[in-house]
Amino acid sequence: MIIRTAHGPVEGTTSEGVSSFKGIPFAAPPVGPLRFRPPSPPEPWAAVRPATHYGPAAVQPRDVLLEGMFGQPAFPTDEASCLTLNIWTQGPHGPVRPVMVWLHGGAFLTGSGRDSVFDGSRLARHHDVVVVTLNYRLGALGFLYLKDLLGSQYAESGNVGLLDQVAALDWVRDNIAAFGGDPANVTLFGQSAGAMSVASLMTMPSAAGLFQKAIAQSGSAEYAHTTERATDVTRQMLAALSIPEEAAGALLDVPAVDLLNAQQGVSEAMRTRGDGLGLPFAPVVDGSVLPRVPLEAIRNGAGARIPLLLGTNLEEGRLFLIGPGAPTMDEDSLSALFDAAYPDPIAAREAFQVTGQDASPSGLFAALIGEQMFRAPAARLAEAHASITPDVWLYLFTWRSSARNGDLGACHSLELPFIFDNLDQPGVHKFTGLEPPAELAHTMSCAWAAFARGGSPHPDWNRFDADAHWAMTFDEDSRPVADPLRPVRRL
């Protein structure tokens, strides 16, 4: 099938009633003078462009944990040709379809829209939606703040990764109708750093009107760098590259592999110091692209007309306790953490155990990670948005994986193959265990698509309110529950 876009014709492939178009450029190569600068439109083309293979991912380090978990090779990467998107659709004919635009996670360091877990074929086939996945610049190339060292022409450098997402949404607005999608009914959904991006875009002036609904999975609206902190990270990068501050312009010419190596060194040093929540590169509150910390902006009315579906997994932190370099935890270390986190640490530990968390030191450490980094921020975002709109739905994913002898539990990212109904993708069983419940994948993918179609995910799913804290719990027996983690939330 050939579709004509605003920049030129593209030809995809069709299988079982779904046409896919992969590797379509939505921006010019972000290299040379465009490095660290906002994306520019791609050059048009006249001949039909094959859109049959994914484009390379953004420059990034290898994700050894996920490679080992899924048994997949590292993504091919390229700085020049990474800004591409992928589309799945039943075609341009018939009534226009809801559009679901996916933002991948990966701590703003790794990830790609080409990940096989994010294949949109089943969502498009079973739910008659148009699915879009995309790449955006990561790490230093996407979030290195240079204004204080290189001047106002780099005022937006700390958020060019977010601006890549905006450029993709601009492309969707201008082109998706040709693929059968409705540009006036776009749902932006993302997980982890992708969910943080969703929250950011809800408050960004440049993204206003580009999407009508939002889904934030296991993310936060609270974490963004100040310009001072972002500049400090930039100085650390310069030191790692042996570049004097007065010669910071040399960053424009540093090979991408050298930037990546320096970025890895800075990231590792910050992790060793316990600095930055593992996010050395993140959105920057620059007063322009991102005017305020997203949660503050939402509390003051930003994104008020955008219905929001959000939630977390019961045992988010368990993912971070496996693989090389994973922290270990003994009783003394755990006690010190709880002493620092809560005025009554004994009551806090009891609250976690009452909600079904593993009572071992490593289990409670994982619970503390999940609470502080994901669940509590999600609850605060739900409360903030619900104060200005009634259209908020909260979920809690509680199904536990049997993989790795059950060590993963209901961990971070486990919901992803269920959302996309891709339980049979290569390597997924290493994450979910054998024979994960297909009915749960059907339930969740239906809910996400229903939300995209009409704004209400399920007839039994109560809207969130600050008093009852209703949440849909997703498991083999999915059902709405009032305040499912109340003992922990009350802490």
Side-chain angles (χ1 to χ4, degrees):
M1 178 181 292
I2 297 175
I3 300 290
R4 183 167 294 278
T5 76
H7 299 99
V10 295
E11 183 173 17
T13 58
T14 302
S15 175
E16 299 181 36
V18 172
S19 296
S20 63
F21 300 82
K22 298 174 180 176
I24 302 174
F26 64 83
V31 294
L34 293 181
R35 179 184 270 188
F36 307 122
R37 301 294 295 274
S40 295
E43 288 291 326
W45 57 89
V48 174
R49 183 187 185 103
T52 55
H53 294 88
Y54 291 113
V59 173
Q60 59 190 272
R62 290 181 57 189
D63 192 329
V64 178
L65 173 60
L66 290 184
E67 286 178 33
M69 184 173 293
F70 288 101
Q72 300 294 306
F75 299 129
T77 65
D78 183 61
E79 182 182 3
S81 56
C82 67
L83 296 184
T84 61
L85 53 76
N86 318 293
I87 301 170
W88 291 264
T89 177
Q90 289 194 35
H93 309 295
V96 292
R97 300 171 173 89
V99 181
M100 300 180 70
V101 178
W102 173 252
L103 301 180
H104 69 78
F108 297 109
L109 293 172
T110 63
S112 173
R114 63 178 288 149
D115 192 316
S116 61
V117 174
F118 310 146
D119 183 294
S121 298
R122 284 205 176 96
L123 281 177
R125 181 180 302 113
H126 296 159
H127 305 291
D128 202 22
V129 296
V130 177
V131 180
V132 180
T133 70
L134 58 102
N135 297 334
Y136 54 95
R137 279 173 282 180
L138 301 167
L141 289 167
F143 298 94
L144 191 69
Y145 183 69
L146 294 167
K147 179 184 178 183
D148 290 350
L149 299 179
L150 291 183
S152 60
Q153 65 269 39
Y154 289 95
E156 299 169 309
S157 60
N159 289 309
V160 295
L162 293 180
L163 291 175
D164 292 341
Q165 299 166 6
V166 173
L169 288 168
D170 282 333
W171 191 98
V172 166
R173 176 199 59 204
D174 297 339
N175 294 280
I176 207 65
F179 296 84
D182 183 356
N185 187 10
V186 175
T187 297
L188 187 63
F189 68 134
Q191 184 261 353
S192 197
M196 294 172 68
S197 298
V198 169
S200 296
L201 268 67
M202 288 175 66
T203 72
M204 286 168 52
S206 60
L210 294 178
F211 59 99
Q212 288 69 47
K213 292 180 284 294
I215 301 175
Q217 302 167 210
S218 302
S220 168
E222 303 173 19
Y223 190 83
H225 287 178
T226 63
T227 55
E228 292 80 10
R229 176 164 178 75
T231 298
D232 178 64
V233 173
T234 301
R235 289 192 170 104
Q236 292 180 54
M237 282 287 294
L238 290 170
L241 290 162
S242 300
I243 298 175
E245 285 187 28
E246 61 271 18
L251 287 166
L252 296 174
D253 300 315
V254 172
V257 65
D258 293 339
L259 277 177
L260 189 60
N261 289 335
Q263 171 185 303
Q264 286 293 90
V266 170
S267 300
E268 189 60 41
M270 292 178 69
R271 277 194 294 270
T272 300
R273 297 194 302 268
D275 182 16
L277 293 178
L279 298 175
F281 301 95
V284 179
V285 180
D286 58 9
S288 167
V289 175
L290 190 63
R292 305 176 71 174
V293 173
L295 183 63
E296 295 176 3
I298 288 169
R299 282 175 172 158
N300 283 275
R305 296 184 179 181
I306 301 175
L308 175 64
L309 187 159
L310 76 165
T312 59
N313 298 352
L314 177 63
E315 299 169 309
E316 296 271 2
R318 296 187 75 90
L319 181 64
F320 308 108
L321 301 185
I322 63 173
T328 56
M329 187 60 48
D330 58 26
E331 182 60 38
D332 290 342
S333 299
L334 181 72
S335 294
L337 287 173
F338 269 84
D339 288 345
Y342 297 106
D344 188 343
I346 295 176
R349 292 179 65 161
E350 290 175 350
F352 279 105
Q353 293 173 46
V354 166
T355 57
Q357 308 283 355
D358 177 0
S360 70
S362 61
L364 287 175
F365 178 48
L368 188 60
I369 293 172
E371 173 67 13
Q372 294 191 338
M373 291 182 64
F374 301 105
R375 197 217 58 82
R380 287 189 286 267
L381 175 55
E383 290 171 348
H385 203 52
S387 70
I388 57 175
T389 176
D391 296 326
V392 178
W393 288 266
L394 186 69
Y395 74 85
L396 181 67
F397 182 85
T398 61
W399 183 81
R400 289 180 165 99
S401 169
S402 62
R404 293 178 174 260
N405 298 314
D407 286 345
L408 290 172
C411 70
H412 190 64
S413 302
L414 184 60
E415 87 284 4
L416 293 176
F418 292 89
I419 299 301
F420 284 86
D421 197 2
N422 280 335
L423 297 177
D424 58 351
Q425 282 288 348
V428 166
H429 71 279
K430 295 183 178 181
F431 194 37
T432 61
L434 299 176
E435 299 183 1
E439 183 59 30
L440 179 55
H442 176 72
T443 297
M444 296 189 75
S445 59
C446 281
W448 264 236
F451 178 75
R453 180 168 291 104
S456 178
H458 192 280
D460 296 332
W461 192 338
N462 305 58
R463 280 177 167 84
F464 175 87
D465 69 77
D467 294 324
H469 269 252
W470 280 101
M472 179 66 80
T473 58
F474 284 109
D475 209 319
E476 293 189 65
D477 176 25
S478 300
R479 57 193 176 89
V481 176
D483 213 352
L485 296 179
R486 177 176 172 81
V488 173
R489 185 175 69 81
R490 291 185 66 187
L491 295 172

